[in-house]
Amino acid sequence: MTEKNLKQAREYVGISQVAGPLVAVKGIHNVGYNELAEVIDPDGNVRLGSILECSEGAAVIQVFEGTSGLSIPDTRIRFRGEPLTMGVSGELFGRVFNGLGQPIDGGPAPRAEMNMDVNGLPINPTAREYPRKFIQTGISAIDGMNTLVRGQKLPIFSGTGLPHNRIVAQITRQAKIIGEDTSFAVVFAAMGIKHDVAQYFIRNFEESGVLEKVVLFLNLADDPSVERLVTPRTALTAAEYLAFTMNMHVLVILTDMTNYCESLREISTIREEIPSRKGYPGYLYSDLSNIYERAGMISGIDGSITQMPILTMPNDDISHPVPDLSGYITEGQIVLERDLDHRNIYPPIAGLPSLSRLMKDGIGEGMTREDHAHVASQLFAAYSHVKDVRALAAVIGAEELTPLDKVYLEVGDRFEREFLSQGEYEDRSITETLDIGWSVISHLPKEELYRISEEELNKYYGK
Amino acid sequence: MLEIIGKVDKVIGPVVHAREIDKARMLDLVEVGDYHLVGEIVKLDRDRAVIQVYEDTTGLAPGTNIYSAGVPLSVDLGPGLIGTIYDGIQRPLEVIRDSSDQYIQKGIHVSPLDREKKWQYKPSLAPGIGVSGGEIVGTVQETVLIEHKVLIPPGVAGKVTWVIDEGEYNVDETVATVENSDGDSVAVKMSQRWPVRKGRPVRERKPLSIPLITGQRVIDTLFPVAKGGTVVVPGGFGTGKTMIQHALSKWSDADLIVYIGCGERGNEMTDVLIEFPKLIDPRSKRPIMERTILIANTSNMPVAAREASIYTGITIAEYYRDQGYHVAIMADSTSRWAEALRELSGRMEEMPADEGYPAYLPTRLAEFYERAGMVQTLGGDQGSISIVGSVSPPGGDFSEPVTQHSKRFVRCTWALDRQLANARHYPAISWLDSYSEYVEEISGWWEENFGGEWMDLRRRIMDLLQNEGKLQQVVKLVGPDVLPDTQRIVLETCTMFKNAFLQQNSFDKIDMFCVPEKQVKMLQVILEFYDLGLENINKGATIHQIKKLEVTSDIMRMKFSVGNDEIEKIDEIRDKLNRSMQRIAEMFE
Ligand SMILES: Nc1ncnc2c1ncn2[C@@H]1O[C@H](COP(=O)(O)OP(=O)(O)O)[C@@H](O)[C@H]1O
Ligand SMILES: [Mg+2]
């Protein structure tokens, strides 16, 4: 019998303490840190947990499915001798799993080609391939100014009631690589979101006919909150298999990361750890990195993982630890703005705080168009000046503005109405997007377009 | 030799408590458990110890053994460091990749230096000479750019009794023997080891007087750093910290760059790995990878090794400084290092000070930045280490502990501004919040090389910017129209200066790097625009007449229309400016 089998065969009766989702056991044989435990409640149901802390003959277990109904003398524990794994194969598609990777659609467990540790491993930076393939989402604000590339991690920073779900659904419908007909496989991980939101996405996948290329991991609002801590990990494990073993291009949607972070805070508080900001543990950054850094491309492998996490900013506050630490890890952010939403501008993508860090390598001649970088930069500069002019106009009145600043006001309106705004089913090509960009900035006198070269002005200005 | 020195008692993430410890010393390197995970002893209490482990501890169980060879965490120093990418504890990531798959598995033990590779070695000493630590015994052409000087290890002194012949040897070869004062014979190898937490000794610290030319206008002209100096770059996410450090790695005139990716993105390191071998240094015309050493402990790699990465990087830098080179260190980001410190401290249940950081955070920061400086090496050469550390303040709020403490220990701050970054004004270095204490010290260098004007030009533009800041307060309330044209020319000049000079696009083939001569000329033109414009306004011209001049658009574009090797074109723009202004002047004569 191997040591692992021996460990699995032993069962311990009785636990010493329960606190929130944590269970403490004593009098056991030594077990390994972060390994999986089965916690068997008095009714014989098996719940899974992982070992947060282990010492000589004792361990603290975090129980994913919660601890309600556990009793001190009658709870039994078994140790697996390995961390939580997920069985993966091409048969994952079209299936629905809970956060632990167990099927919840009534079907049998899919055949497992292999079992992968859900915690993943850090990708060796020398094995990465730098992402540079432009993904056309058909949304001007993204394609034109915050370009997404294949293998990027680009989150949506949203607020309650803002249309982030509609935007992400539109992206999954429209995303394509120009000149390639490979479509994306989608891995969708829900953490603490409402049933109707999950249903909205599923309906959308159905309508656009991609459902058979979707794998769903659902931990909904009324599911155990600790399970949320593994949901993105099981989902990304499936994605890694599809991308790096099956060579597929996978789009991973993680929603809502704020709920994930709250679960992490809950555990940290129960363990009486020293908090950093707003009660979140000091290791929140490292923990989030272990999720976000699982996006990317590997050199020599065809597949890729593109991540689109969604998070709601509490109080629309971008400096809140969840968006703040995310922004420090991800490769840019699409920020939604309430003010635009109030003015019925869809998609309400904020012009200035949004950013795509990988844009530079995915745009330009041969990828989008030679003028792309300069047009985008000029739009940012102009819109930024518009914001100043609007602030000034609010103080001194629009009539008092200089003639040039009045033009800027108009350009600002056109930018929002013509460039930003578009239909939920409107799929703009990159050429259309850039042309609209030109038509907006062409209202400015040439001298103001100092970020654009002479040749580009000659070719596109006012055309 | 590895010996068992105790047993694992408790595992809490990267922190392991040990029992039955004997023969261990503080900061000894250890290997933990069946996988032989690398760790370091950070606390000792009778027969118990606390160990920080540099690898993932999943599966590590109490009761397993702890091994040690009784040496502190050290780095291997010798030919072969340049062009290599290491993790936080100097494991070469390319070797790891070639020996497994795309992931970094745990329990991997690989040598930092290639021990097979033969280097062409040339002795520079003859037997019979008296030597001491830090002196050069021989040389190896490590890359086309860097001649590697093999040094007598610090602490060794005596008479050379034997030197090896010129030839091809590997890094473990004994290249000389020295008989010390006790009559013992000491073997000097081509490579040596040095504990990372201990600074390498120097003969003497020197005053700073030479700028580190970065090719970035806002830095070189407004907020320069001296060779041997220290800078912090605080800024919220996306404000351009990493881009600045990449730009400096590419274009600064240091002899060698040590780039430490500390708790940041994997793709940023990949970017460097792909780009640097292709980029050609404008001075030496060689790929800049030939002067670069990378340390990558990305955010998802083990947090304890992130803490160590800063020390690994600076020790390597000191080794090249000791060979007489000017080394620049980029540490991106020191906040992630401080957070690693906080996480480890928290797991050890130490008393926290500000925002959960341990009370010793300021001491550690000070110790790190003190390892920078211009020195006379033990061997008598001149060498330096400059440190540029980025800081990632939570919420972009500079009042937090890491920014505040760091600023106490450095003499230059490039404060990144969210508003500028949002407007895509890059580098988003705020001209109002940044400062450099090196300006006076390096002004001599500028005047020697580019005439006596530099200090004066710089002072004049800084004054205009200050003045503009005040005028903008008024504009915000009443609009620019009410200002007299003598003040509006200040606004116009500053707008021009910001767009045409301060803003610099790292992706533009010409603008990514700007030689000092061009910086001076650009600044002269812009100030001349102000002088002549003001003169004309005083004669009766209006601001609109001046703004309308066609030459303004030449000035706005000179940064990317005039290459670094054709700066005389700026003289033409200047002539055109003079002619245009003269024409306006004539209208009022
Ligand atoms: N000098 C520059 N020129 C052009 N773009 C820049 C420059 N500096 C920053 N950027 C833009 O800003 C983005 C964020 O910069 P980065 O250095 O990654 O920020 P940080 O490290 O502070 O989070 C980059 O991806 C790039 O698009
Ligand atoms: Mg950065």
Side-chain angles (χ1 to χ4, degrees):
Chain A
M1 223 178 190
T2 66
E3 198 182 338
K4 193 166 114 188
N5 290 340
L6 198 72
K7 271 189 187 169
Q8 287 174 347
R10 287 195 190 116
E11 190 172 291
Y12 303 94
V13 182
I15 53 180
S16 56
Q17 203 185 11
V18 186
L22 304 184
V23 164
V25 276
K26 286 201 176 121
I28 55 172
H29 290 81
N30 288 334
V31 294
Y33 172 75
N34 210 13
E35 285 179 355
L36 200 62
E38 294 176 4
V39 178
I40 306 157
D41 67 21
D43 300 330
N45 299 317
V46 176
R47 307 177 194 191
L48 295 180
S50 67
I51 295 164
L52 282 188
E53 198 175 305
C54 56
S55 50
E56 201 63 36
V60 176
I61 303 167
Q62 133 183 313
V63 187
F64 297 128
E65 287 121 310
T67 50
S68 73
L70 294 187
S71 74
I72 301 277
D74 300 328
T75 302
R76 287 169 295 147
I77 308 280
R78 256 197 316 253
F79 295 100
R80 288 268 185 91
E82 61 180 18
L84 179 62
T85 60
M86 161 114 195
V88 288
S89 72
E91 291 175 18
L92 299 176
F93 283 127
R95 302 295 307 272
V96 188
F97 301 91
N98 67 9
L100 299 171
Q102 299 158 332
I104 51 169
D105 51 6
R111 182 179 55 85
E113 201 68 56
M114 54 176 162
N115 283 300
M116 293 169 68
D117 178 352
V118 303
N119 298 299
L121 283 167
I123 299 178
N124 188 326
T126 65
R128 282 184 187 267
E129 172 92 38
Y130 196 73
R132 48 178 85 243
K133 263 248 151 77
F134 165 60
I135 297 178
Q136 180 176 298
T137 66
I139 297 175
S140 291
I142 297 177
D143 295 351
M145 299 174 71
N146 303 288
T147 318
L148 173 67
V149 299
R150 196 155 68 186
Q152 184 172 12
K153 39 187 180 288
L154 188 64
I156 304 218
F157 288 8
S158 187
T160 45
L162 294 177
H164 44 267
N165 296 326
R166 283 158 60 201
I167 296 171
V168 171
Q170 184 172 5
I171 293 172
T172 46
R173 275 196 307 274
Q174 299 180 171
K176 58 172 134 338
I177 305 274
I178 302 171
E180 269 183 36
D181 53 1
T182 46
S183 59
F184 284 95
V186 178
V187 171
F188 181 85
M191 290 156 280
I193 60 167
K194 293 206 241 0
H195 280 264
D196 46 352
V197 174
Q199 282 310 319
Y200 170 81
F201 276 103
I202 294 171
R203 242 190 354 266
N204 241 287
F205 296 140
E206 247 166 338
E207 275 168 23
S208 47
V210 293
L211 197 58
E212 67 276 10
K213 282 191 84 176
V214 177
V215 191
L216 293 149
F217 292 83
L218 301 183
N219 169 281
L220 301 179
D222 53 0
D223 288 328
S225 80
V226 190
E227 194 184 291
R228 258 156 238 170
L229 294 177
V230 279
T231 310
R233 294 183 162 82
T234 46
L236 283 161
T237 304
E240 278 167 0
Y241 175 78
L242 296 173
F244 304 140
T245 306
M246 306 260 293
N247 292 314
M248 295 181 171
H249 296 294
V250 187
L251 177 66
V252 180
I253 299 164
L254 306 167
T255 178
D256 178 324
M257 288 306 291
T258 305
N259 295 336
Y260 169 87
C261 295
E262 273 165 11
S263 294
L264 200 67
R265 176 168 65 177
E266 197 179 316
I267 298 282
S268 172
T269 313
I270 294 168
R271 296 183 69 195
E272 296 176 2
E273 292 172 335
I274 301 155
S276 63
R277 287 171 69 222
K278 297 217 153 101
Y280 290 93
Y283 51 81
L284 180 58
Y285 174 84
S286 301
D287 189 278
L288 285 172
S289 306
N290 281 310
I291 295 173
Y292 296 141
E293 280 286 322
R294 289 172 80 172
M297 299 181 63
I298 306 294
S299 77
I301 297 181
D302 271 342
S304 63
I305 296 179
T306 308
Q307 268 190 32
M308 273 228 141
I310 300 175
L311 57 89
T312 46
M313 303 182 278
N315 283 322
D316 293 349
D317 176 10
I318 197 169
S319 70
H320 181 279
V322 176
D324 189 52
L325 294 178
S326 296
Y328 272 119
I329 305 163
T330 55
E331 286 147 345
Q333 64 279 337
I334 304 290
V335 184
L336 304 190
E337 192 178 285
R338 197 164 297 278
D339 174 56
L340 289 170
D341 187 56
H342 281 161
R343 290 192 281 134
N344 278 321
I345 290 169
Y346 173 89
I349 294 176
L352 301 180
S354 300
L355 166 73
S356 165
R357 295 165 185 261
L358 301 189
M359 176 170 181
K360 59 179 169 87
D361 292 296
I363 64 171
E365 197 162 2
M367 295 172 284
T368 56
R369 207 167 76 181
E370 82 285 1
D371 56 324
H372 191 159
H374 289 162
V375 177
S377 177
Q378 188 65 62
L379 281 168
F380 278 118
Y383 193 53
S384 158
H385 187 65
V386 167
K387 294 263 169 172
D388 293 341
V389 175
R390 281 182 184 166
L392 182 60
V395 179
I396 63 172
E399 318 76 54
E400 299 297 317
L401 294 174
T402 62
L404 179 62
D405 281 351
K406 285 182 185 151
V407 177
Y408 265 105
L409 275 192
E410 193 203 322
V411 166
D413 285 339
R414 282 179 186 271
F415 174 75
E416 287 165 358
R417 300 270 157 220
E418 295 166 16
F419 186 88
L420 276 191
S421 294
Q422 69 183 84
E424 214 174 317
Y425 284 84
E426 186 183 349
D427 187 0
R428 291 184 187 157
S429 73
I430 183 64
T431 318
E432 281 174 83
T433 289
L434 293 175
D435 289 346
I436 299 173
W438 271 105
S439 93
V440 169
I441 50 175
S442 289
H443 289 275
L444 289 169
K446 265 191 189 177
E447 309 83 73
E448 287 297 300
L449 306 184
Y450 51 84
R451 292 196 185 173
I452 290 179
S453 75
E454 290 288 346
E455 303 97 85
E456 288 158 355
L457 279 178
N458 293 337
K459 189 159 170 197
Y460 297 105
Y461 181 78
K463 300 281 154 67
Chain B
M1 260 335 285
L2 285 181
E3 278 177 62
I4 296 179
I5 58 153
K7 287 197 178 331
V8 173
D9 185 53
K10 188 173 174 184
V11 185
I12 319 167
V15 170
V16 167
H17 293 253
R19 60 184 157 83
E20 299 166 37
I21 288 286
D22 67 332
K23 283 203 296 197
R25 280 172 313 181
M26 217 21 207
L27 302 184
D28 268 359
L29 194 66
V30 296
E31 293 182 10
V32 182
D34 301 338
Y35 278 104
H36 286 259
L37 307 176
V38 181
E40 188 181 1
I41 295 182
V42 291
K43 206 181 263 183
L44 275 175
D45 182 6
R46 274 160 296 191
D47 69 334
R48 306 184 67 82
V50 179
I51 296 165
Q52 64 181 46
V53 178
Y54 295 124
E55 300 179 75
D56 180 23
T57 51
T58 294
L60 183 62
T64 47
N65 289 329
I66 296 167
Y67 311 82
S68 175
V71 292
L73 178 65
S74 306
V75 285
D76 263 359
L77 302 169
L81 291 164
I82 297 175
T84 309
I85 176 166
Y86 291 109
D87 77 355
I89 50 170
Q90 212 202 5
R91 290 183 302 192
L93 288 168
E94 274 159 330
V95 177
I96 291 181
R97 177 200 59 203
D98 294 342
S99 68
S100 63
D101 56 7
Q102 70 257 38
Y103 298 112
I104 303 175
Q105 312 281 346
K106 60 184 171 188
I108 297 180
H109 294 259
V110 279
S111 160
L113 295 175
D114 186 339
R115 312 216 93 86
E116 310 295 319
K117 180 166 179 166
K118 301 262 202 232
W119 298 91
Q120 182 65 34
Y121 175 82
K122 213 160 75 215
S124 34
L125 287 181
I129 297 177
V131 289
S132 58
E135 281 180 50
I136 300 166
V137 264
T139 57
V140 163
Q141 198 66 44
E142 187 174 358
T143 66
V144 175
L145 290 181
I146 302 286
E147 181 182 51
H148 193 112
K149 291 155 190 154
V150 179
L151 305 175
I152 306 274
V156 175
K159 204 171 78 192
V160 177
T161 47
W162 172 83
V163 296
I164 205 165
D165 290 336
E166 182 169 348
E168 293 208 323
Y169 308 104
N170 66 27
V171 292
D172 291 317
E173 190 73 45
T174 299
V175 293
T177 50
V178 174
E179 189 184 282
N180 66 19
S181 52
D182 300 337
D184 295 334
S185 178
V186 183
V188 177
K189 307 230 164 171
M190 199 192 290
S191 66
Q192 49 181 278
R193 287 181 69 74
W194 190 265
V196 297
R197 298 194 192 273
K198 194 170 141 197
R200 287 173 62 90
V202 298
R203 188 179 295 170
E204 182 183 18
R205 286 182 164 260
K206 294 272 179 196
L208 313 185
S209 60
I210 311 165
L212 179 76
I213 292 298
T214 66
Q216 309 302 302
R217 289 184 292 268
V218 57
I219 294 174
D220 293 342
T221 299
L222 294 193
F223 308 108
V225 54
K227 287 205 172 84
T230 47
V231 193
V232 283
V233 193
F237 62 82
T239 51
K241 300 178 292 298
T242 305
M243 290 290 296
I244 287 175
Q245 299 203 320
H246 280 197
L248 263 60
S249 309
K250 291 173 191 169
W251 310 123
S252 71
D253 66 351
D255 297 321
L256 200 91
I257 302 287
V258 177
Y259 191 100
I260 311 169
C262 175
E264 292 286 311
R265 299 177 186 83
N267 270 335
E268 289 173 348
M269 300 312 294
T270 312
D271 193 14
V272 171
L273 281 174
I274 295 174
E275 202 185 359
F276 281 27
K278 290 189 226 151
L279 279 176
I280 302 298
D281 175 43
R283 282 163 283 261
S284 64
K285 314 285 183 231
R286 297 293 308 174
I288 55 174
M289 201 63 191
E290 291 182 5
R291 61 153 206 193
T292 309
I293 297 168
L294 300 168
I295 316 282
N297 214 94
T298 58
S299 56
N300 55 339
M301 284 159 73
V303 69
R306 190 199 295 173
E307 191 272 334
S309 65
I310 292 278
Y311 298 101
T312 298
I314 195 142
T315 308
I316 292 175
E318 286 175 342
Y319 176 63
Y320 283 94
R321 172 205 62 194
D322 293 347
Q323 298 172 38
Y325 288 113
H326 296 288
V327 187
I329 295 193
M330 306 294 140
D332 186 21
S333 153
T334 61
S335 291
R336 305 303 167 215
W337 166 79
E339 285 164 12
L341 214 59
R342 173 171 73 182
E343 182 171 341
L344 294 166
S345 158
R347 301 223 193 232
M348 289 187 269
E349 295 176 6
E350 293 174 339
M351 272 294 283
D354 285 359
E355 295 192 16
Y357 287 105
Y360 47 80
L361 172 70
T363 322
R364 295 280 172 91
L365 280 167
E367 282 167 358
F368 172 64
Y369 284 110
E370 274 310 293
R371 288 173 79 169
M374 175 70 76
V375 306
Q376 185 173 35
T377 66
L378 292 181
D381 279 330
Q382 172 111 244
S384 71
I385 294 181
S386 316
I387 302 180
V388 181
S390 72
V391 180
S392 319
D397 175 4
F398 291 1
S399 67
E400 59 90 38
V402 183
T403 316
Q404 285 306 315
H405 291 308
S406 301
K407 282 178 79 169
R408 286 164 48 205
F409 308 125
V410 303
R411 294 181 51 212
C412 180
T413 298
W414 300 329
L416 300 185
D417 182 272
R418 163 69 58 197
Q419 228 108 46
L420 290 176
N422 279 355
R424 272 45 173 185
H425 172 113
Y426 295 121
I429 295 177
S430 160
W431 47 89
L432 297 174
D433 300 333
S434 304
Y435 64 87
S436 167
E437 289 176 18
Y438 297 114
V439 176
E440 295 288 339
E441 282 155 83
I442 60 160
S443 61
W445 181 92
W446 277 92
E447 295 183 357
E448 217 166 275
N449 289 281
F450 301 102
E453 257 190 294
W454 184 74
M455 270 302 261
D456 192 45
L457 292 171
R458 187 186 171 279
R459 186 192 46 73
R460 288 192 58 207
I461 195 71
M462 287 302 276
D463 285 350
L464 280 177
L465 286 172
Q466 294 294 333
N467 193 356
E468 188 234 23
K470 288 190 205 108
L471 293 176
Q472 286 294 357
Q473 303 291 328
V474 181
V475 171
K476 279 209 182 86
L477 296 173
V478 293
D481 264 354
V482 296
L483 294 182
D485 282 358
T486 47
Q487 291 187 334
R488 290 193 64 184
I489 184 81
V490 176
L491 298 186
E492 284 308 322
T493 308
C494 287
T495 306
M496 174 184 275
F497 178 67
K498 289 177 209 167
N499 291 327
F501 188 95
L502 292 184
Q503 209 184 86
Q504 190 169 354
N505 187 345
S506 286
F507 304 132
D508 186 89
K509 274 198 283 306
I510 290 179
D511 197 29
M512 50 172 58
F513 164 73
C514 187
V515 292
E517 299 89 305
K518 184 173 165 191
Q519 301 189 24
V520 172
K521 282 197 187 287
M522 287 173 74
L523 187 52
Q524 280 168 339
V525 174
I526 293 168
L527 284 169
E528 195 149 293
F529 171 84
Y530 174 74
D531 291 338
L532 297 175
L534 185 63
E535 223 170 85
N536 277 335
I537 286 171
N538 284 332
K539 285 187 181 143
T542 66
I543 186 76
H544 295 290
Q545 282 172 309
I546 290 167
K547 267 177 78 175
K548 247 185 18 222
L549 290 178
E550 196 210 297
V551 70
T552 56
S553 110
D554 296 330
I555 298 176
M556 291 302 272
R557 289 199 171 79
M558 63 191 168
K559 61 180 173 182
F560 42 68
S561 63
V562 179
N564 283 315
D565 49 359
E566 47 180 19
I567 45 178
E568 62 289 346
K569 281 195 184 165
I570 298 181
D571 297 333
E572 293 164 24
I573 296 177
R574 201 169 161 184
D575 290 344
K576 185 168 168 188
L577 174 69
N578 272 289
R579 285 195 304 275
S580 313
M581 288 287 192
Q582 180 59 34
R583 240 170 277 133
I584 297 185
E586 281 160 8
M587 290 162 35
F588 297 93
E589 233 111 73

